[in-house]
Amino acid sequence: NLRKQRFLAVVLRKSPRLPAPIPDNEPERIAALRRMLLLSSPDEEAFDRVTRAAKRIFSVPIALVSLIDPHRQWFKSCIGLPVRETAREVSFCGHAIVFGHLFVIEDATSDPRFSDNPLVTGDPRVIFYAGRPLYNSEGYAVGTLCIIDHHPRTFSVDDHRSLDDLG
């Protein structure tokens, strides 16, 4: 299992396809993220409760709290994935922090921005994605609360509200 995790992490890091955009305030955003002292920190029950609730509410196999640093998205809380980070270039969450509000891809296989993304075409098969940017106390989008499914889904107005409330 550890070999599989390492293999997946290496494959994802070496497979940039459609790079996630970089926010205009990237240097300030990264500095603010680093001041939070959360990157590569131990698990925390407060974050895990939120991802467990998201997984249950939306009946999805994967729920994450991601933090986006210069080179990766690192998962502060991770339910349903065997890895704790992926390359930023292929991250859906990297798009969400630039989008600025709830970012939903109902079927990544039919979305030209993501259809050839290695996270879609291979493991973990991100077909549906909904990510709500998470802002720190300084007002920077430092990451997301996101849910992922291996199948296309629709996302209702009530679903939007629920994910927004959890975020």
Side-chain angles (χ1 to χ4, degrees):
N1 195 8
L2 184 57
R3 279 186 7 186
K4 179 182 177 185
Q5 290 176 6
R6 286 184 182 150
F7 174 76
L8 182 58
V10 168
V11 168
L12 295 177
R13 282 190 169 281
K14 293 186 176 190
S15 302
R17 193 58 206 122
L18 174 65
I22 303 298
D24 292 336
N25 64 354
E26 182 70 355
E28 298 84 5
R29 189 190 72 77
I30 293 298
L33 173 62
R34 289 187 175 136
R35 284 191 294 275
M36 295 173 67
L37 302 175
L38 286 175
L39 287 170
S40 301
S41 63
D43 291 352
E44 292 182 52
E45 183 61 22
F47 291 95
D48 292 343
R49 278 195 303 269
V50 173
T51 52
R52 282 194 305 267
K55 184 179 186 304
R56 248 188 340 271
I57 290 167
F58 296 102
S59 298
V60 292
I62 301 168
L64 309 165
V65 171
S66 70
L67 299 173
I68 311 298
D69 78 10
H71 306 290
R72 65 185 175 150
Q73 64 176 355
W74 178 76
F75 308 131
K76 176 62 181 166
S77 180
C78 178
I79 296 180
L81 279 183
V83 296
R84 290 303 292 250
E85 67 182 61
T86 63
R88 180 177 180 172
E89 302 87 51
V90 296
S91 73
F92 284 62
C93 298
H95 290 266
I97 65 168
V98 173
F99 193 62
H101 51 88
L102 199 62
F103 183 68
V104 177
I105 304 297
E106 293 186 339
D107 183 356
T109 63
S110 64
D111 188 316
R113 297 170 296 176
F114 299 101
S115 60
D116 61 353
N117 184 304
L119 298 175
V120 174
T121 60
D123 284 339
R125 287 233 4 109
V126 176
I127 305 302
F128 169 84
Y129 171 91
R132 190 236 192 238
L134 300 175
Y135 293 88
N136 72 355
S137 63
E138 298 177 56
Y140 293 101
V142 294
T144 68
L145 168 63
C146 68
I147 56 173
I148 295 168
D149 203 340
H150 307 301
H151 308 283
R153 338 174 27 141
T154 57
F155 209 61
S156 71
V157 171
D158 283 340
D159 292 333
H160 277 256
R161 286 187 191 123
S162 295
L163 189 58
D164 213 27
D165 287 345
L166 281 173

